[in-house]
Amino acid sequence: MTLPRAIVYADRLFTATDGKTAHGLVRYCQRYSIVGVVDSTLPGGDAGQILDGKPSGIPVFPSLETAVMRTKPETFIVGAVSEGGVLPSGYEGAVEWALGHGLNVVSGLHEFISDKPRCVALANKHGCTITDVRKIYRDHKRFYTGEIINIPSVRIALLGTDSAIGKRTMAVVLVNELRKRGYSADMIFTGQTGWMQGWRHGVVLDALINDFVSGGIEGAIIDSWRDDHPQFIVIEGQGSLVHPFFPGGFEILAAGRVHGFLLMDAPGRPHLDGFPGYPMPDPKRVVTIAELLTEKPLLGIGLNHEHLSPAQMPAVIQRYANLFHVPVVDPLTDGVAGIIDAIEPLTEKVT
């Protein structure tokens, strides 16, 4: 099957944490063929090289017009987020330009492009579509049943000490490595980027009515088992158990009936992302809370290496290993082999 060709618009934000949707699509995407990233503040180059130091074959363009002329895409994806989930400044003009040139538009923001009369008129005039991913799940009303206790997959949750810290990325790397080792594995997406990446099972948690969050998580896990019978199910995390602005994780732990959890932390991050007055939480506190909630163990730790040099990382990894006595990895640099080694025995304990 030929995937739709898509450009990701992340102007001014591709190298910032607010460009996390673009980051996720550059690193992994099975729903679209990502043919370019747009950011006028960058001179060009390879998106993967800029992001992770690893070439992806996805070029960065300084303008939307140049990207469209050179790549001939069918789809325009809003690749950045902003406080409140509205279109970042200047992005509405880019969306209208894309629609005016016949491109389908995809957005995961809370501000729905399909509710804007001018955008709808442009889409109708030029025969293209608008997909607001969060709107897909706005009326998703699946109630918790308890049937999850009959699902024999090993279920592992991704938690973090902050938002935009690498929980989804860690989950993707973990599932792909499990598959390379011959296991069947699936990721349950819980945010809009996971849907854009093409994962088959999941929900967009912050688009659901609260009463149906647990049922949405359970239902996605049940669907995954019925469709694919995976040995491992990895549940993408959202926010943090202790984040005052973006609390998240409790529903995943409780509704997912997890067998263990992984933690993502950023030792070099000076404060919560976007909130300078709020220091990063002690990872030991987050782990203690999760262990109390689940009565299940911490299985491993992934570290986000932002603000840390490659020379600093070995000592940081060793410090975390000594503190928590679990495998500790930098998933983007070193992979997740140590964590896979630790979770493989769970298949013998879960029935």
Side-chain angles (χ1 to χ4, degrees), residues 85-102:
V86 299
L87 279 166
S89 176
Y91 277 46
E92 188 159 350
V95 168
E96 291 181 358
W97 188 95
L99 291 168
H101 286 77

Side-chain angles (χ1 to χ4, degrees), residues 60-77:
V60 175
F61 296 99
S63 72
L64 181 55
E65 294 85 348
T66 301
V68 170
M69 180 181 66
R70 293 188 182 177
T71 66
K72 301 295 190 293
E74 302 156 87
T75 302
F76 169 104
I77 300 175

Side-chain angles (χ1 to χ4, degrees), residues 311-326:
Q312 291 174 299
M313 285 304 294
V316 174
I317 288 173
Q318 189 60 54
R319 173 163 59 87
Y320 274 68
N322 292 340
L323 186 63
F324 291 99
H325 306 290
V326 295

